[in-house]
């Protein structure tokens, strides 16, 4: 900081500690996993109640919310997977069109792949990028491929 010509960027908030950032990250991971569990329970309720679309009300919004959390966690592939899963839920689960169990299994693969990565973050045993491949494959089979840029 005392070298002539060196420009230091100003900190916007010097009162935030690293521990507070770690705590916020852990809370975000826990809440995201809880939300993905809610989505999975919604899919099971949908199947258990003779494809009642009302059981999936709000599930796409939850996926989009967790997708935003994935961006905060610097996981763009997880964001893209959940965004496409939300789009699938919005467009395919209607009273006129109801996906079969095979399609729901592929959607579940996508959601679980992100949850698996979040579990690795929570247990401090990183899962790496490989689980995302299963989710991307499932979404591609559903006709909602994840862009390679993600």
């Amino acid at each position: 900081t005392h070298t002539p010509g060196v420009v230091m960027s100003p900190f916007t908030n010097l009162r935030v500690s690293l521990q507070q950032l770690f705590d916020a990250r852990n809370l975000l991971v826990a809440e995201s996993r809880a939300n993905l569990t809610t989505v999975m329970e919604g899919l099971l309720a949908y199947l258990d109640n003779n494809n009642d679309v009302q059981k999936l009300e709000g599930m796409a919004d939850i996926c989009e919310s967790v997708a935003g959390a994935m961006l905060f966690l610097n996981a763009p592939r997880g964001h893209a997977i959940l965004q496409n899963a939300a789009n699938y839920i919005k467009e395919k689960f209607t009273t006129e069109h109801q996906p079969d169990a095979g399609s729901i299994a592929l959607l579940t693969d996508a959601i679980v792949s992100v949850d698996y990565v979040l579990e690795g973050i929570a247990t401090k045993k990183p899962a790496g990028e490989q689980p995302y491949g299963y989710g991307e494959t499932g979404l591609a089979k559903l006709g909602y491929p994840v862009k390679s840029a993600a």
Side-chain angles (χ1 to χ4, degrees):
T1 59
H2 298 288
T3 306
V6 173
V7 178
M8 294 294 293
S9 299
F11 290 107
T12 56
N13 189 345
L14 296 175
R15 295 181 188 159
V16 176
S17 70
L18 285 177
Q19 184 62 41
Q20 288 172 318
L21 290 174
F22 287 133
D23 290 345
R25 183 175 185 255
N26 291 338
L27 180 63
L28 183 63
V29 168
E31 287 181 358
S32 295
R33 292 198 69 213
N35 284 334
L36 291 179
T37 300
T38 300
V39 172
M40 297 302 293
E41 289 171 353
L43 288 170
L44 288 173
Y46 169 81
L47 290 172
D48 289 342
N49 291 300
N50 298 323
N51 299 350
D52 184 8
V53 179
Q54 291 180 343
K55 298 296 180 187
L56 294 175
E57 198 168 303
M59 296 303 145
D61 295 334
I62 293 172
C63 284
E64 287 176 341
S65 173
V66 178
M70 296 305 287
L71 281 180
F72 181 79
L73 294 170
N74 198 24
R77 287 177 75 187
H79 165 77
I81 288 170
L82 289 176
Q83 194 64 47
N84 284 12
N87 291 338
Y88 180 80
I89 292 170
K90 285 179 188 176
E91 295 171 12
K92 297 297 182 181
F93 287 92
T94 63
T95 53
E96 298 85 30
H97 181 268
Q98 297 172 349
D100 61 352
S103 297
I104 294 173
L106 293 172
L107 176 64
T108 302
D109 286 345
I111 294 169
V112 169
S113 71
V114 175
D115 185 51
Y116 189 78
V117 171
L118 288 171
E119 180 183 8
I121 293 170
T123 59
K124 303 207 181 355
K125 295 179 182 174
E129 296 284 313
Q130 186 176 1
Y132 291 136
Y134 296 106
E136 291 168 344
T137 301
L139 287 170
K141 289 179 181 177
L142 291 173
Y144 286 77
V146 176
K147 294 179 183 174
S148 61

